[in-house]
Amino acid sequence: MTTLSLRSPATRRAVRHYVEMWIAMGLGMAVLGPLVRLGFDAAGWSAVLDRTDWRAMIMATEMALPMAAWMRVRRHGWGSIAEMTVWMYVPFAVLLVPYWAGAISGGALMGIGHGLMGLAMAVVVHRHRHDH
């Protein structure tokens, strides 16, 4: 059994990497979000952004692109970047089924989706903590 200690250099690097990814994702939403809205408005597709299901996947993309770029800057391989990116989308993709069935609200889709995304990403970072 492995113990998780913040005194471990590998764990400290993994936590720093996790925080850096969330910063990149937040910047992506702040920068790409308005640009995406402008683009959709200019194309006459602004109604797409009124749909929570589409918005969730677009927002995941706005977060995934800068996160992937930051991982590349930090010299992660394309396989690791792809794995992390997939786990950013999986929670939303899974939650779309109950959302479409009317079992959860749009707010729940977004809130639970982001929470599960953070958890999934933390699991991936923990699994690869010695690679950072």
Side-chain angles (χ1 to χ4, degrees):
M1 178 172 168
T2 328
T3 57
L4 182 64
S5 168
L6 289 178
R7 293 176 190 228
S8 157
T11 301
R12 284 196 311 270
R13 285 190 305 272
V15 168
R16 184 183 70 228
H17 176 62
Y18 183 78
V19 170
E20 288 172 350
M21 286 192 305
W22 275 98
I23 291 169
M25 290 161 45
L27 289 170
M29 287 183 2
V31 173
L32 294 177
L35 293 175
V36 167
R37 279 188 284 286
L38 283 172
F40 274 65
D41 286 345
W45 299 343
S46 58
V48 169
L49 298 176
D50 294 335
R51 292 191 46 158
T52 304
D53 48 358
W54 279 86
R55 185 70 201 131
M57 300 312 278
I58 291 167
M59 186 182 304
T61 303
E62 293 166 358
M63 294 187 299
L65 291 172
M67 183 272 319
W70 183 248
M71 286 183 71
R72 195 64 190 148
V73 166
R74 300 284 279 154
R75 300 180 194 259
H76 289 274
W78 291 112
S80 296
I81 294 168
E83 178 184 15
M84 187 62 75
T85 301
V86 164
W87 283 107
M88 290 176 68
Y89 286 95
V90 166
F92 291 107
V94 168
L95 289 171
L96 285 175
V97 175
Y99 173 74
W100 288 330
I104 64 172
S105 68
L109 169 66
M110 293 302 239
I112 296 168
H114 280 90
L116 291 175
M117 175 198 290
L119 180 61
M121 290 173 65
V123 168
V124 174
V125 168
H126 177 69
R127 262 194 26 233
H128 296 287
R129 69 189 173 281
H130 297 290
D131 299 339
H132 303 292

